[in-house]
Amino acid sequence: MNLRGGAIVLAALVSLVLALAAAAKALLVQATSFTPPPLRTDLLRDYRERASIARLDAYTWKADNLAVVVARGSPREMGRQYGAALRDPIRKGIQLYLIGKVVRDWNYPLDYQRRCASAMRHHIPAEYIEELEGVAEGSGVDFDMLLLMHTHADTVHYGHSWGRRDAAPGKDCTNFAVWGRWTTHGQLIHGRNLDWTVSTGVQTCACVYVGLPRQGVPFALVTYAGCIGGVTGMNAEGITFGEMTSSSSAETLDGMPLFFLCRQLLQYCRRIEDAERMVATYPPTTGWNFLVADGKVPTARAFEVDAKSVEIFGPADPAENDPPLHWPMQDCVRRTNHFVGREHQLRQCERYHFNYRLARSVLRSIDTWRRYASVSHWIAANPGKLDAREARALLQTAPVGGDGTLHSVVMEPAAQRMWVANASFQGGKGGPAWKEHYVYLD
């Protein structure tokens, strides 16, 4: 290389270094100057505390446009009632979602899904296998397909296939629980957006499954026809549950599927301590964040879970004191799609092949942190003002309110009431749930 050539290379290297430094500075400025957008309130005029109720048959009700199934008795009896009540929506949901999306669009063949389900099946409590058999008997749908609907979330989150272009979509879920100094009467409010996919039409099969089991606590699951478990719900003891994906390198299919943990927790937990024991000892599959609240105390916990360990965070938890990334708040717990605990953060970086220090340096510029920070700032800016109506505004404002919100729910567990909105679907296209009518249930 001659002198001139060396000078050109050197100049190019200097330009690259300067460009990288400028980019790093821009990210730093963006992170340190982050201010969430103002809360949008234009959609709050739809707030209602009454629904149009119609009884369709012995087990099915219609609350506005939302199907509500009420089943009682033994596991098999509950399953048969549920299956018979929603026979057609169950078939439709399997075709739209399990076949149309998971198999065809995301390329998870049924044989592969069956192998994954087989690895998880021995961790599913026998009563839920019996209840699913009852759903199959009542609806005439194969038990095998119903089981895959309950295990598909763990299947599509497992393994390095998550990064495939044709795999399942990105995750943008948000959960927050507030009480005490932040709410109008100190009541606990749990807000939750499930962000997944709105393009399948499965939202047309949405329902609330109210179970009155012979053993355990009555519960209400925000779910989809034929599913006896889910990722959002509340029970009669004032316990609420919401889930967010948070992938980790510590994962297995030799564990309990997500849908059944939610169901078991709502059916058998009466206090927040019961939930702590259950989540700390159940066999997880992949990485999740859970937010569980107890409206009686009131209080809430965030659970960061993967196949290796479970970490539990409470309100004002000193373990969350990691400025400027995370910070503890009194009377508040919130989570999005990343881990706060260091050990889980390390395994999350391994999962995506990120350098840990680099990942931490850019975290404040990506969506999951911006949702975490936005919710935190919005709550802190409104002491004593949050009620169920205002909590909806937190779910309806970007970056929390995104294009892929499948359902959006506000729960007041002490008052035993919730507001449920499901995504729209018209002309083969779906719109986010937070833009739709929230159905009031108590």
Side-chain angles (χ1 to χ4, degrees):
M1 180 182 295
N2 58 32
L3 185 60
R4 183 180 178 185
I8 292 172
V9 172
L10 180 60
L13 288 173
V14 170
S15 297
L16 178 61
V17 169
L18 290 174
L20 290 172
K25 183 178 180 181
L27 280 176
L28 181 61
V29 170
Q30 181 187 43
T32 56
S33 63
F34 174 78
T35 301
L39 284 173
R40 64 178 300 173
T41 58
D42 58 300
L43 299 174
L44 296 182
R45 60 183 179 272
D46 179 55
Y47 176 83
R48 302 181 204 175
E49 291 192 3
R50 177 172 295 185
S52 173
I53 304 294
R55 187 163 191 170
L56 303 183
D57 57 42
Y59 309 112
T60 318
W61 302 72
K62 204 81 166 181
D64 291 341
N65 61 346
L66 180 62
V68 180
V69 177
V70 182
R72 67 182 70 223
S74 69
R76 190 170 296 274
E77 288 169 341
M78 289 175 63
R80 285 173 177 162
Q81 294 163 20
Y82 186 10
L86 294 184
R87 180 182 292 107
D88 292 338
I90 291 171
R91 293 176 181 275
K92 179 182 176 183
I94 287 173
Q95 288 302 315
L96 287 173
Y97 185 74
L98 188 65
I99 303 301
K101 182 58 69 171
V102 181
V103 175
R104 293 176 187 161
D105 290 356
W106 295 339
N107 196 26
Y108 289 90
L110 286 175
D111 285 347
Y112 174 73
Q113 291 190 59
R114 290 186 183 103
R115 291 197 299 273
C116 294
S118 178
M120 293 179 261
R121 179 166 174 165
H122 67 284
H123 290 290
I124 301 172
E127 65 181 300
Y128 299 144
I129 294 293
E130 184 180 352
E131 189 171 337
L132 271 185
E133 290 172 345
V135 175
E137 293 166 4
S139 65
V141 173
D142 288 344
F143 170 86
D144 179 51
M145 302 302 283
L146 291 168
L147 180 62
L148 296 188
M149 284 290 282
H150 289 74
T151 58
H152 87 275
D154 308 82
T155 297
V156 302
H157 286 80
Y158 174 77
H160 297 291
S161 60
W162 185 251
R164 296 182 327 197
R165 187 180 303 174
D166 61 343
K171 293 82 59 189
D172 304 303
C173 301
T174 301
N175 275 258
F176 63 86
V178 288
W179 62 92
R181 68 192 65 196
W182 309 117
T183 58
T184 52
H185 298 94
Q187 75 276 29
L188 187 143
I189 299 172
H190 182 167
R192 186 268 199 281
N193 274 0
L194 167 64
D195 285 62
W196 189 233
T197 175
V198 299
S199 65
T200 68
V202 72
Q203 57 265 41
T204 62
C205 306
C207 68
V208 171
Y209 176 35
V210 177
L212 308 174
R214 286 182 181 171
Q215 293 187 332
V217 182
F219 59 86
L221 274 167
V222 181
T223 190
Y224 300 89
C227 293
I228 66 169
V231 293
T232 307
M234 179 173 73
N235 75 13
E237 292 288 341
I239 300 295
T240 61
F241 178 95
E243 165 273 342
M244 298 140 285
T245 299
S246 196
S247 296
S248 168
S249 62
E251 56 182 1
T252 180
L253 289 177
D254 187 15
M256 181 188 287
L258 167 67
F259 276 32
F260 292 108
L261 172 69
C262 173
R263 166 62 186 275
Q264 189 175 48
L265 186 147
L266 292 175
Q267 186 175 346
Y268 288 106
C269 292
R270 299 176 183 273
R271 303 179 303 160
I272 196 70
E273 292 81 7
D274 298 335
E276 288 180 339
R277 286 189 290 271
M278 182 175 288
V279 178
T281 56
Y282 99 105
T285 53
T286 62
W288 314 105
N289 285 335
F290 304 136
L291 196 151
V292 179
D294 185 340
K296 299 185 300 299
V297 180
T299 191
R301 301 289 184 269
F303 298 88
E304 298 188 348
V305 174
D306 63 15
K308 183 171 284 188
S309 65
V310 174
E311 190 168 2
I312 303 173
F313 296 79
D317 199 313
E320 199 161 350
N321 189 21
D322 184 21
L325 295 178
H326 310 105
W327 57 95
M329 292 179 66
Q330 296 282 348
D331 301 343
C332 174
V333 177
R334 69 278 192 217
R335 277 300 183 276
T336 52
N337 299 105
H338 65 276
F339 290 125
V340 170
R342 177 180 170 83
E343 293 305 314
H344 283 95
Q345 282 183 7
L346 285 167
R347 291 196 289 273
Q348 193 160 56
C349 290
E350 291 174 353
R351 177 69 173 76
Y352 291 110
H353 309 292
F354 290 157
N355 174 275
Y356 177 67
R357 290 187 178 181
L358 176 63
R360 284 177 59 82
S361 69
V362 301
L363 178 60
R364 295 189 75 193
S365 68
I366 63 177
D367 183 71
T368 178
W369 182 85
R370 294 171 73 83
R371 283 180 282 115
Y372 170 96
S374 293
V375 164
S376 305
H377 285 296
W378 289 331
I379 292 168
N382 292 281
K385 296 181 180 179
L386 279 172
D387 57 12
R389 180 178 181 272
E390 294 295 323
R392 271 178 48 181
L394 274 65
L395 300 175
Q396 294 174 316
T397 305
V400 173
D403 292 337
T405 306
L406 189 56
H407 68 229
S408 182
V409 182
V410 175
M411 295 175 276
E412 279 193 5
Q416 291 288 283
R417 59 185 190 168
M418 64 168 70
W419 290 257
V420 179
N422 285 287
S424 63
F425 193 73
Q426 292 182 341
K429 295 182 179 180
W434 53 267
K435 287 186 177 181
E436 301 304 314
H437 168 59
Y438 284 70
V439 179
Y440 173 72
L441 300 170
D442 76 23

